[in-house]
Amino acid sequence: MNYIRIELSRDPADVSYSEIAVFVKTFLRAMTLGAALAYSLHSREFRAKMFMMGYGAVVMVLTSDMKWSKSELPNPDGIKGKATGSKRIIFIRHGESLWNEAFNGSKMPHKFLYQTAKALVGEFVLLPEADSVLIDSPLNHLGFSQAKQLARAIGQYPRGRQHDQSPQLDRDVAALRGQVSSLITCSNLRRAAQTAVVALWQRLEPTPAARSKESDDDEEGGKVHGKVHGKVGGFSDIVKVLSCLQEVSRNVDAMALTPASRPVELQGAGSSVRDSLGLEGDLDVDELFDSSSNTGNKRLLGTGLVRLNAFCDFALNQQEEVIIVAGHSLWFKHFFNTYLPRGKIDSGPAVDAKDCKMKNGGCVAFTLERGSVNGSYVYRADPDSFTVVEGGFDNKKKYLKAMKEKAKKNQ
């Protein structure tokens, strides 16, 4: 304080700009350090965020999540024609996330820098909160629009699909609508859960009876099935959270904020399912999600293959005819590279499954078969069983590359 009094006692005309800059820099540094220490001492959310960021840095360096050799696994065609069980699977890729927007968007330098800076500033603003732009990255506005587009495609089918309509596609859409015995699942990451709820809301939304109870009991000020303390409930179906569906990646956006045995929160970084669906209250996530299979974050060591096999075991052991999965592009891509037959696939939607990611908001269905080789289960995704409900695979880069290589050969 003596230093400050001495400085302030001087004639302002004698104070140089460099002295002012040093003083302001020192003051701001002290204030920032003080604020950080205050947050770390008094904010549980801030401490949790710092731990997650530190752990995320460790994961990015040490994880072996993507490291397994597909060539060393049994050839799925070893059970072709010998399968002892099968299950229809429908994959839904989440809509675009804030992470996708920041790092997978435009590669033009000025746009990339703007998107990245925007994400980092957003993360800084959310430091004292149990929310994040980058960790367990939620959907952005485009991502919610893509989920709603999938909902429209499901609801309006077969409008506009006369060119590729088939009995199998009819049945897949019926499963998505809940007209065929099916189970909805999602990963423990927010963007997958948000996509599942928005895309399948026509199937999940509260029953007319629940909405009627909500209106009646709201007037009495009581507890209701349709809305409890301002939360929307009384859903027609539930979503099962599966940790085995957590994304295969080293990035922090693939780390879950949701603790084990807890439902996934549907709001994040300024946007929410409530706003997207135009609801008056937040969704009662305890009622909407079955969290009994949410075992928390994936392990630091180990590979994604363990989670892929765990899902296959889970799916084939369910009584429902169809398993609907809201998940992630790299998980899906690793799945297809692991369980589709070795070698090139010549025709059909499965042609791009090994090489390309599914589109954001895309929806693809196929049959997963199970058989036994040397006493162990082997799984096979039947390449001839694929249908595309919406979007399919993003093969633009693949075919542009093929065209360039062809042009070089013709020169």
Side-chain angles (χ1 to χ4, degrees):
M1 292 299 296
N2 290 334
Y3 173 79
I4 295 175
R5 281 198 297 269
I6 291 170
E7 291 299 313
L8 292 178
S9 65
R10 293 169 57 188
D11 186 338
D14 297 333
V15 180
S16 66
Y17 286 112
S18 60
E19 288 178 300
I20 295 174
V22 170
F23 176 78
V24 170
K25 184 178 179 180
T26 303
F27 177 77
L28 290 177
R29 184 182 298 168
M31 289 295 292
T32 302
L33 180 59
L37 288 174
Y39 276 136
S40 64
L41 290 172
H42 301 289
S43 172
R44 182 178 62 183
E45 291 82 3
F46 181 81
R47 293 196 300 272
K49 184 75 68 64
M50 290 298 99
F51 172 80
M52 287 292 289
M53 287 184 171
Y55 182 70
V58 173
V59 169
M60 292 184 74
V61 175
L62 299 180
T63 187
S64 55
D65 203 32
M66 301 82 62
K67 297 177 181 178
W68 73 91
S69 175
K70 280 80 171 177
S71 61
E72 295 179 2
L73 299 174
N75 189 340
D77 267 349
I79 64 167
K80 185 177 181 180
K82 306 173 187 177
T84 57
S86 66
K87 189 72 65 174
R88 192 68 179 169
I89 308 293
I90 301 178
F91 281 171
I92 297 172
R93 185 191 173 187
H94 64 79
E96 183 177 275
S97 68
L98 290 170
W99 176 280
N100 296 147
E101 179 183 348
F103 301 107
N104 300 340
S106 175
K107 299 306 179 185
M108 296 180 66
H110 65 287
K111 288 187 177 181
F112 179 79
L113 288 173
Y114 169 74
Q115 292 161 351
T116 303
K118 179 182 174 183
L120 294 176
V121 169
E123 189 65 50
F124 180 79
V125 170
L126 291 174
L127 274 179
E129 300 182 29
D131 194 1
S132 178
V133 171
L134 302 178
I135 301 172
D136 196 353
S137 188
L139 296 181
N140 64 9
H141 293 298
L142 176 57
F144 278 113
S145 296
Q146 291 164 336
K148 287 193 283 189
Q149 171 55 37
L150 175 55
R152 284 192 292 271
I154 295 169
Q156 296 174 0
Y157 180 87
R159 187 188 304 173
R161 296 299 298 270
Q162 287 77 12
H163 64 288
D164 64 348
Q165 188 177 359
S166 67
Q168 183 60 71
L169 184 56
D170 292 345
R171 193 160 184 81
D172 292 336
V173 174
L176 289 163
R177 291 172 175 170
Q179 298 163 350
V180 171
S181 172
S182 54
L183 174 67
I184 305 171
T185 67
C186 72
S187 83
N188 54 349
L189 299 177
R190 290 183 293 177
R191 56 192 179 276
Q194 291 170 327
T195 301
V197 173
V198 173
L200 303 176
W201 182 244
Q202 292 174 340
R203 171 175 175 172
L204 295 168
E205 65 179 328
T207 62
R211 289 195 294 270
S212 177
K213 281 186 178 183
E214 175 185 331
S215 299
D216 294 341
D217 288 7
D218 270 352
E219 295 179 1
E220 301 172 7
K223 180 177 178 180
V224 301
H225 185 53
K227 182 186 286 186
V228 182
H229 302 304
K231 291 186 177 181
V232 177
F235 303 105
S236 301
D237 208 338
I238 62 170
V239 180
K240 189 171 183 64
V241 181
L242 299 177
S243 290
C244 61
L245 297 175
Q246 191 171 354
E247 176 67 306
V248 179
S249 173
R250 66 174 66 250
N251 296 328
V252 295
D253 72 317
M255 295 177 59
L257 288 174
T258 304
S261 303
R262 292 296 304 150
V264 182
E265 292 296 334
L266 293 174
Q267 72 276 356
S271 60
S272 70
V273 168
R274 168 185 172 173
D275 297 333
S276 180
L277 295 174
L279 302 176
E280 294 181 1
D282 290 328
L283 300 180
D284 187 347
V285 293
D286 289 299
E287 184 180 339
L288 178 58
F289 292 107
D290 174 0
S291 308
S292 59
S293 296
N294 177 13
T295 57
N297 260 312
K298 59 190 178 183
R299 296 179 179 178
L300 174 62
L301 302 178
T303 70
L305 177 62
V306 175
R307 300 200 299 283
L308 299 184
N309 282 331
F311 168 74
C312 292
D313 292 339
F314 169 85
L316 268 292
N317 289 332
Q318 302 308 301
Q319 62 181 7
E320 289 84 0
E321 181 182 336
V322 181
I323 307 298
I324 300 167
V325 177
H328 308 273
S329 61
L330 293 178
W331 194 100
F332 293 154
K333 189 175 178 181
H334 281 292
F335 185 96
F336 290 132
N337 274 280
T338 301
Y339 301 117
L340 277 170
R342 304 286 182 263
K344 185 179 179 182
I345 298 171
D346 296 320
S347 61
V351 165
D352 299 316
K354 291 183 181 181
D355 307 314
C356 306
K357 295 179 180 179
M358 285 179 60
K359 293 180 179 178
N360 288 114
C363 182
V364 172
F366 62 95
T367 299
L368 179 65
E369 301 171 335
R370 180 168 71 181
S372 180
V373 175
N374 298 325
S376 298
Y377 282 138
V378 174
Y379 293 97
R380 177 180 183 267
D382 182 2
D384 299 322
S385 67
F386 275 61
T387 62
V388 176
V389 177
E390 174 69 10
F393 296 95
D394 189 359
N395 55 18
K396 183 178 179 180
K397 291 182 180 179
K398 175 183 175 180
Y399 286 100
L400 283 175
K401 182 179 178 181
M403 289 175 63
K404 288 180 180 178
E405 291 178 351
K406 186 177 179 179
K408 286 182 180 180
K409 289 181 180 179
N410 293 336
Q411 286 179 351

